[in-house]
Amino acid sequence: MRKLLLMAGLCGTLATAHAQEIAPYGALPSKAQLAWQDMEYYMFIHLGPNTFTDNEWGHGDEDPKVFNPSRLDARQWARTAKLAGMKAIIITAKHHDGFCLWPSKYSTHTVRESAWKNGKGDVLKELSAACKEYGLKFGVYLSPWDRNHPAYGTPEYNQVFSNTLNEVLSSYGPVFEQWFDGANGEGPNGKKPVYDWDLFHHTVYKNQPNAVIFSDVGPGCRWVGNEDGIAGTTNWATLNVKGFTPGKGAPAQSVLNEGNMNGEKWIPAECDVSIRPGWFYSPSTNDKVKSVQHLLDIYYGSVGRNGNMLLNVPVDRRGLIYSADSIRLMEFKRFRDESFKTNLALKAKVTATETRRNNSKVSAANLTDGKPGTYWATPDGVLKGTITLTFAKPASFNRLVLQEYIALGQRVKAFSVEILENGAFKEIATATTIGHKRILSFPDVTTTQVRINIQDALACPVISEVQLYKAPGLLAVPVIQRNKQGEVSITCSSPDPELHYTVDGKEPVYSSPKYTGPVSLPAGGIVKAKAFLEKGKKASATVTAVYDIAPAKWKVTFTDGQAKGADPEKAIDGNPESFWASVIQPEAAKYPHEIQVDLGEELTLKGFTYTPRHLVEKSGTIYTYAFYVSEDGKNWGEPVAQGNFANIANNPVTQSIRFNKAAKGRFIRLVAVAPANEKEQWASVAELGVITK
Ligand code: FUL
Ligand code: CA
């Protein structure tokens, strides 16, 4: 202890010759990481052969000629990102299919071999120039997993990948972030290598000393543990990394989601998420662009919880950002601007208890000066303190923004918020960590005094900003559901909206049919709905649901088991929240598993859909499948489709699989061949559907 005090004293003396200097605590951010945390929100772009083949994970054997955007314009992407308020763009320079968006010397599967610009194009060159023009930073995703490169799986591959990295990182100017995917699957030769991460990191830093390296475990920033873009309500920027590697060797997803208190290294969370259900463009998701409400939830769950938000906007087959996505980005920007326009804390008088003395840098007034570089702090060893904001006239607000001065480490463990109401203080919120930024949302309150009680911290709290805002309300997007019988219902969580809908694919307007009760749609179709207020003056975003034939006449004829409460009929009840799971005794469970269904009539099937259990919890997700169609439910013949549900482990959304050729029959059978998570040897199905259209 004495030694520590001596050291802290010494550091203080060296820095400003002042006894009350604040000693840094724990793992600290580098300069590059500090700048990175300030970026908060930036764009991800997935583009490649998958864009043209409607795949999430290409196999690497695609004809490179399929990559042929008709009017690729990287300036349009950069302009969109800039107008959306984003600070950078990270692009999939090389995804798992190995296809390089630049003419790499180390591959024969690149834009050079594609039809685009007669093989003379270079997406990285165009994008890096566009980013420069629009004042955006530029980053690259390079997947070590390469399903095309013949050397993959051999010891030579690490050097090939390092050369590839070196080529990219030395050719296109500054790169702020290097994104490494953790996936390590098989190559074209069926083999998996052991990645040489030290070599890869060395290659990055040699070329780009200021780059922040992303992977499951950093070293620059870490995966948040899901592809929903949501960090834990507790989120430490510090992580224990000893003994861990990216991919299968990474810490549990729950640990990545929250970080480790007192973790060894500063490795903050980056929350990656796509604006659509998948990472790559597909015409089938043009009407599934996330709503402003959903994007706001992600913003509060990422930037508002000490993480950065990396929002994927897939470029379409023309090589442009599709209109629905860019319109949504602008709506989201407008709503954020509106929400954080007026910082009401600027009008308040700020006082604090326990303020550190004899340090001219520390002052309660710094909390509301709008400068993240100035702060308030308590004395050494004092782990609590109360900040009070007093208004001359009552103020109304519903958002609180707090920031720690993280250059000295992340410290706060618990805090509460109180307001003065009828002469007494009333608690309106409690929370744990702050870090770079914490945003709390609560219902509107009106008061003359707010108290923020820092209740516990790892070392004396050092807080740089307190802000209060009144965000406008947002008309909730309606929810469309269809039951087993094929009756469609439309609901909305906002009070008293008028709901209007269409079933002809047209955009609903105020004069479209008004929703008064369930609409029968057993044969399927497109339902679009919108909520209105004030006789149509205010409108929500449109929500679209596309249905095939309803499972009204269907019955499950066979499964190889059933978990308690997971009745097989729940796989065909139209409700994605209920599910069938195959297991009775988890110890005895082992793949494969299966479910057979009688459709009640003969149908011509063009494909099937599988919705994994994902809403409350994901568990029993199927990865490898075989699907059969039969006339009599006894003779199944060969599977009409088989393969893997790409990326389903991390992004468990509905999978639509089209058959190579239509199949006639009355019975269907899904065989779960291998699980997404080897520890879960049971299969679950939230919904099974057919494609007849
Ligand atoms: C994952 C990949 O497997 C997905 O395809 C996507 O690129 C996502 C951002 O990372 O690990
Ligand atoms: Ca169900």
Side-chain angles (χ1 to χ4, degrees):
M1 188 64 196
R2 216 195 266 149
K3 232 189 208 160
L4 261 176
L5 281 176
L6 208 83
M7 263 170 59
L10 215 77
C11 291
T13 318
L14 289 175
T16 61
H18 207 294
Q20 277 295 312
E21 196 64 18
I22 305 170
Y25 179 84
L28 299 176
S30 67
K31 229 175 127 202
Q33 287 173 316
L34 273 177
W36 179 92
Q37 300 234 213
D38 280 335
M39 293 174 62
E40 294 187 353
Y41 173 48
Y42 36 92
M43 187 182 276
F44 214 176
I45 290 180
H46 276 62
L47 171 67
N50 291 344
T51 309
F52 300 87
T53 56
D54 227 330
N55 265 331
E56 281 293 303
W57 283 357
H59 291 262
D61 57 0
E62 296 78 19
D63 182 348
K65 294 267 182 296
V66 299
F67 184 85
N68 192 14
S70 50
R71 348 175 345 208
L72 185 139
D73 182 3
R75 295 180 67 238
Q76 186 244 11
W77 317 343
R79 196 161 58 240
T80 306
K82 186 73 185 181
L83 289 171
M86 294 168 156
K87 299 281 161 55
I89 300 180
I90 300 178
I91 185 154
T92 50
K94 177 170 91 93
H95 202 253
H96 309 325
D97 56 19
F99 186 84
C100 300
L101 292 181
W102 78 102
S104 175
K105 279 203 291 225
Y106 304 101
S107 168
T108 54
H109 197 49
T110 79
V111 281
R112 186 184 50 232
E113 286 75 31
S114 80
W116 180 55
K117 292 194 169 173
N118 295 317
K120 299 277 180 303
D122 181 340
V123 179
L124 299 191
K125 191 169 164 197
E126 294 192 21
L127 180 58
S128 56
C131 283
K132 203 165 161 202
E133 178 182 344
Y134 285 94
L136 298 168
K137 292 188 177 174
F138 171 68
V140 284
Y141 169 121
L142 278 126
S143 166
W145 182 23
D146 191 320
R147 300 174 104 176
N148 174 269
H149 205 286
Y152 188 87
T154 71
E156 290 82 68
Y157 179 75
N158 281 320
Q159 195 53 51
V160 171
F161 187 65
S162 168
N163 293 345
T164 309
L165 264 178
N166 193 65
E167 185 179 54
V168 170
L169 297 175
S170 62
S171 307
Y172 301 100
V175 168
F176 88 102
E177 182 170 327
Q178 169 63 50
W179 220 91
F180 282 129
D181 198 278
N184 183 344
E186 289 172 5
N189 50 18
K191 291 187 184 143
K192 291 184 194 181
V194 176
Y195 297 143
D196 187 345
W197 289 106
D198 287 343
L199 172 66
F200 305 163
H201 293 171
H202 177 78
T203 309
V204 175
Y205 290 138
K206 190 184 74 189
N207 287 289
Q208 302 283 342
N210 296 319
V212 169
I213 299 180
F214 167 97
S215 84
D216 292 345
V217 292
C221 62
R222 71 174 195 266
W223 185 42
V224 77
N226 61 56
E227 293 184 358
D228 307 326
I230 305 284
T233 48
T234 294
N235 183 16
W236 295 97
T238 47
L239 190 72
N240 292 327
V241 289
K242 214 169 274 153
F244 293 111
T245 57
K248 284 218 160 74
Q253 295 186 357
S254 57
V255 172
L256 296 178
N257 199 239
E258 299 193 343
N260 296 115
M261 180 167 73
N262 284 320
E264 295 159 27
K265 292 269 166 63
W266 188 273
I267 306 178
E270 184 184 74
C271 308
D272 62 321
V273 60
S274 184
I275 198 165
R276 294 176 177 228
W279 290 98
F280 284 90
Y281 174 82
S282 164
S284 68
T285 56
N286 283 346
D287 53 20
K288 293 204 170 60
V289 176
K290 288 188 169 66
S291 65
V292 171
Q293 188 186 310
H294 195 164
L295 293 173
L296 275 172
D297 289 345
I298 293 169
Y299 179 79
Y300 287 122
S302 55
V303 176
R305 291 186 188 161
N306 188 30
N308 277 2
M309 175 169 168
L310 174 58
L311 180 62
N312 181 62
V313 185
V315 162
D316 70 14
R317 291 176 185 170
R318 299 167 305 167
L320 298 174
I321 291 175
Y322 189 78
S323 56
D325 307 59
S326 60
I327 290 170
R328 195 52 48 77
L329 288 172
M330 298 313 137
E331 289 171 349
F332 175 45
K333 165 79 160 64
R334 232 178 292 135
F335 202 82
R336 264 180 9 256
D337 285 353
E338 191 62 31
S339 301
F340 297 100
K341 194 168 67 189
T342 312
N343 177 8
L344 298 159
L346 296 175
K347 289 194 193 140
K349 193 177 138 237
V350 196
T351 57
T353 66
E354 322 286 350
T355 300
R356 193 179 185 98
R357 289 165 205 270
N358 300 327
N359 182 327
S360 55
K361 285 195 208 153
V362 173
S363 151
N366 289 344
L367 290 165
T368 54
D369 65 357
K371 294 183 196 153
T374 64
Y375 47 79
W376 163 84
T378 64
D380 286 344
V382 177
L383 309 180
K384 294 177 198 289
T386 294
I387 299 163
T388 305
L389 277 72
T390 308
F391 295 93
K393 278 190 276 169
S396 298
F397 49 86
N398 51 21
R399 300 284 183 274
L400 167 69
V401 179
L402 288 175
Q403 292 194 273
E404 278 186 84
Y405 184 72
I406 54 170
L408 293 174
Q410 189 179 346
R411 296 155 181 253
V412 174
K413 279 170 74 178
F415 67 98
S416 72
V417 187
E418 295 173 306
I419 56 159
L420 188 60
E421 199 178 82
N422 303 325
F425 276 96
K426 179 183 137 190
E427 188 173 272
I428 57 162
T430 59
T432 53
T433 51
I434 299 176
H436 165 69
K437 188 173 273 185
R438 184 70 197 258
I439 310 177
L440 295 186
S441 301
F442 37 83
D444 291 0
V445 293
T446 304
T447 188
T448 53
Q449 229 169 35
V450 195
R451 272 202 319 219
I452 296 142
N453 305 305
I454 310 288
Q455 297 162 318
D456 198 8
L458 297 174
C460 68
V462 186
I463 310 290
S464 62
E465 275 293 298
V466 177
Q467 301 170 356
L468 292 167
Y469 297 93
K470 182 161 183 182
L474 186 64
L475 186 48
V477 183
V479 175
I480 305 176
Q481 281 164 310
R482 191 180 68 167
N483 67 13
K484 186 168 170 88
Q485 276 60 50
E487 285 164 346
V488 174
S489 57
I490 307 172
T491 52
C492 182
S493 62
S494 286
D496 305 323
E498 287 185 64
L499 301 172
H500 294 263
Y501 71 97
T502 63
V503 288
D504 58 4
K506 291 213 180 94
E507 181 71 13
V509 289
Y510 192 60
S511 56
S512 303
K514 187 171 170 172
Y515 177 77
T516 50
V519 181
S520 189
L521 213 66
I526 301 179
V527 186
K528 287 180 182 270
K530 217 172 165 104
F532 294 90
L533 279 180
E534 296 168 21
K535 300 212 154 52
K537 268 192 223 137
K538 283 191 185 157
S540 74
T542 302
V543 58
T544 305
V546 181
Y547 293 110
D548 208 293
I549 201 158
K553 301 181 200 159
W554 302 10
K555 280 203 174 64
V556 175
T557 49
F558 177 79
T559 65
D560 66 306
Q562 170 191 336
K564 208 169 144 216
D567 178 353
E569 293 296 327
K570 290 184 177 169
I572 49 168
D573 62 357
N575 174 7
E577 278 184 38
S578 66
F579 58 90
W580 161 69
S582 66
V583 74
I584 301 175
Q585 293 156 300
E587 324 74 64
K590 249 191 154 165
Y591 266 70
H593 299 289
E594 67 172 284
I595 180 168
Q596 298 179 11
V597 175
D598 176 359
L599 304 175
E601 64 189 318
E602 188 176 78
L603 294 172
T604 301
L605 305 178
K606 297 193 172 148
F608 78 99
T609 61
Y610 165 59
T611 304
R613 184 184 168 192
H614 68 291
L615 288 173
V616 181
E617 195 190 338
K618 61 176 183 187
S619 156
T621 310
I622 302 167
Y623 178 56
T624 307
Y625 66 87
F627 194 87
Y628 299 79
V629 178
S630 155
E631 304 263 343
D632 57 5
K634 290 185 195 93
N635 299 300
W636 293 100
E638 290 297 308
V640 288
Q642 55 188 328
N644 299 328
F645 298 121
N647 200 30
I648 196 169
N650 292 337
N651 191 21
V653 296
T654 298
Q655 310 285 311
S656 298
I657 304 295
R658 285 193 169 261
F659 306 150
N660 289 334
K661 143 167 154 264
K664 243 190 198 164
R666 173 173 166 168
F667 297 85
I668 58 174
R669 174 184 181 209
L670 172 67
V671 176
V673 178
N677 178 346
E678 268 153 42
K679 288 189 201 114
E680 295 172 2
Q681 282 292 328
W682 58 92
S684 68
V685 178
E687 276 305 294
L688 187 62
V690 295
I691 303 173
T692 62
K693 299 187 181 12

